[in-house]
Amino acid sequence: DYMIPQLKNDNLLITIHDFIEDYFINNQIINPIVNQLDSHINNHIDNNTFNLIDNELDNKIDSMIDGQLDNKVEDLLVVIEKYKTLLNDILTDENTNKDINDNDNEINESAGYYEGYSHYSIHETMLKDQSRTLAYRSSMINNSEYFKDKIVLDVGCGTGILSLFAAKAGAKTVIAIDNSNIINKTKQIIKTNNYSNIHLIHGIIESIDLSTYLSNQPTNQSIDIIVSEWMGYSLYYENMLSSIIHTRDRYLSPNGIILPSHSLLYIECCNLLTNRLDWLDSVYDFNLSDLSDLLTNEVQIEQVASDDVISNRYLLHQLDMLIVNDEDLDFTNSFTMVISKDTCLSQFVVTFDCLFQHEKLSYSNVLSTAVNEPLTHWKHAVFYITKANRCNVMIGDQINGTISYTRRLNNKREYDITIQWNVVKQIDTKKSNELDNYNYKQ
């Protein structure tokens, strides 16, 4: 009859110890801990963020009730840590001049990003990409002597295929993290394939404390190997590499490795035989060329054939995963390409390679998205030149310029890409000082 809350399930009268004690002592079904935060908290945080964590906690509790979690308490405590961090951030925000609107936009964009990876089709596409999947498998299975008894962290595990490769290669423990709801299926996949040494965590790596998992390791308090398929279109789109850098700095052993170990970004000149820009001139007998700026202002993801390429492949940017910093993900680099055909310069194409190599590994391999390699799900990033600025080029002409990758302030997963270029003619030098400037969105 005493201490009856004015609000049903008043959160302030419930502590973490209440439901953990009930679980251990009484072995009863745990009531949901938090249904809502009061109006004070709601005034300081975007509902999407709270709902993501709240739903995750509910899922953890439901799983505990159903007996589906291998590490019930440890997995639940990870989510509880998120609540503590969330509340701390709220209190901190009261004393700062943080731009809440900009933060909300970034939260909303991230929520949409993770939601996209909750659906089956995107995972089917990636799994069926043999160039991608076999490159990861080879780098682990063929280096099983190094993977033996190691602690491996899989960041953005998706369906868990990389974690399964690592476990099969001999890893002692694999910690797999993903913030999309596909991880609920991944738990079933791991159980079906009988890998009890793979531990799954639902959440964002930046918000997770792995100390609980690492403290159970008798000889190691850090990660030996980080594996992740972080690459996006034209390599940097989605900007998952920032999470890898954070994870490396926080958890990787001083002697640890990251796979892939290096990334290389390339640019080439091309003239697509099937030009989407020209197609707009006559669509069912109508001129739809007013749409052309939508095509030329955005990076187009499509297939480029080897015959479409009209220059050498120029290395724009390369990163070593062990030393790259977050500041390196915004850059401006110059290029010089030599034309190899008498034709029209109509587009630029950007591709990338990822290397799986380290002095500790006996086997090295390369995952390439080059136009002369088997097509991957990343295809190729094509930058269309407007009709007014397309130009005829001859063998030996030089294309000089710069390319800039800049993350957007309101959504760090997306980039603004600027290409500036000119043609140095081998015969007619009058055009050598002309400069064309293009801004693209990705």
Side-chain angles (χ1 to χ4, degrees), residues 23-240:
Y23 178 74
F24 278 107
I25 297 177
N26 301 321
N27 196 26
Q28 297 176 349
I29 295 178
I30 305 171
N31 292 322
I33 306 161
V34 179
N35 293 322
Q36 63 181 11
L37 293 177
D38 63 21
S39 58
H40 171 74
I41 292 178
N42 287 331
N43 287 334
H44 291 80
I45 189 163
D46 181 88
N47 286 333
N48 288 334
T49 301
F50 173 73
N51 288 336
L52 283 173
I53 302 176
D54 194 41
N55 290 338
E56 184 180 348
L57 182 58
D58 287 341
N59 290 336
K60 292 289 187 297
I61 295 171
D62 291 342
S63 298
M64 289 175 65
I65 294 169
D66 295 337
Q68 293 177 354
L69 286 180
D70 294 328
N71 299 293
K72 300 179 179 62
V73 176
E74 291 85 356
D75 211 21
L76 186 59
L77 286 175
V78 169
V79 187
I80 294 170
E81 284 297 319
K82 290 185 182 181
Y83 268 102
K84 292 167 63 178
T85 301
L86 185 63
L87 292 170
N88 181 69
D89 289 345
I90 292 169
L91 295 175
T92 301
D93 283 349
E94 290 182 344
N95 300 313
T96 66
N97 293 321
K98 186 176 182 180
D99 190 330
I100 299 299
N101 291 328
D102 286 348
N103 186 54
D104 288 350
N105 289 336
E106 191 164 345
I107 290 171
N108 291 333
E109 293 290 349
S110 292
Y113 166 73
Y114 294 118
E115 171 62 22
Y117 282 94
S118 298
H119 303 287
Y120 170 77
S121 59
I122 190 170
H123 294 284
E124 180 184 33
T125 298
M126 292 188 290
L127 289 169
K128 285 183 175 180
D129 183 346
Q130 292 194 358
S131 296
R132 161 202 180 266
T133 308
L134 293 179
Y136 279 91
R137 186 179 74 172
S138 297
S139 71
M140 290 185 259
I141 300 300
N142 292 339
N143 286 301
S144 57
E145 71 283 355
Y146 182 77
F147 271 75
K148 181 176 174 57
D149 294 330
K150 294 295 193 299
I151 301 175
V152 178
L153 177 61
D154 181 0
V155 182
C157 65
T159 56
I161 190 66
L162 303 189
S163 296
L164 290 167
F165 290 154
K168 187 175 182 180
K172 177 176 63 177
T173 300
V174 180
I175 302 173
I177 298 173
D178 202 287
N179 196 45
S180 74
N181 289 330
I182 195 67
I183 201 167
N184 296 318
K185 285 295 181 183
T186 307
K187 292 177 182 179
Q188 298 174 18
I189 291 171
I190 300 305
K191 185 176 181 180
T192 298
N193 287 274
N194 299 315
Y195 279 99
S196 59
N197 61 332
I198 299 177
H199 306 281
L200 295 163
I201 304 175
H202 187 188
I204 302 171
I205 184 62
E206 290 85 350
S207 303
I208 292 173
D209 184 359
L210 296 181
S211 59
T212 300
Y213 295 87
L214 295 175
S215 63
N216 293 328
Q217 307 304 320
T219 61
N220 200 342
Q221 298 294 317
S222 57
I223 300 296
D224 298 307
I225 305 169
I226 295 174
V227 297
S228 180
E229 197 267 72
W230 55 265
M231 301 82 75
Y233 294 125
S234 72
L235 188 58
Y236 297 116
Y237 181 67
E238 296 181 5
N239 189 32
M240 189 179 166

Side-chain angles (χ1 to χ4, degrees), residues 382-430:
V382 178
F383 299 76
Y384 277 80
I385 300 172
T386 62
K387 284 187 176 182
N389 290 291
R390 292 191 306 204
C391 63
N392 292 324
V393 291
M394 300 178 63
I395 296 175
D397 289 350
Q398 286 189 0
I399 309 300
N400 299 328
T402 61
I403 185 168
S404 298
Y405 274 61
T406 306
R407 285 170 287 183
R408 295 183 185 172
L409 294 178
N410 64 339
N411 184 3
K412 293 298 183 68
R413 296 194 181 279
E414 297 183 351
Y415 274 85
D416 288 319
I417 303 173
T418 300
I419 300 178
Q420 294 181 311
W421 60 278
N422 67 344
V423 182
V424 179
K425 306 290 287 185
Q426 293 300 299
I427 298 176
D428 179 10
T429 60
K430 290 185 294 183

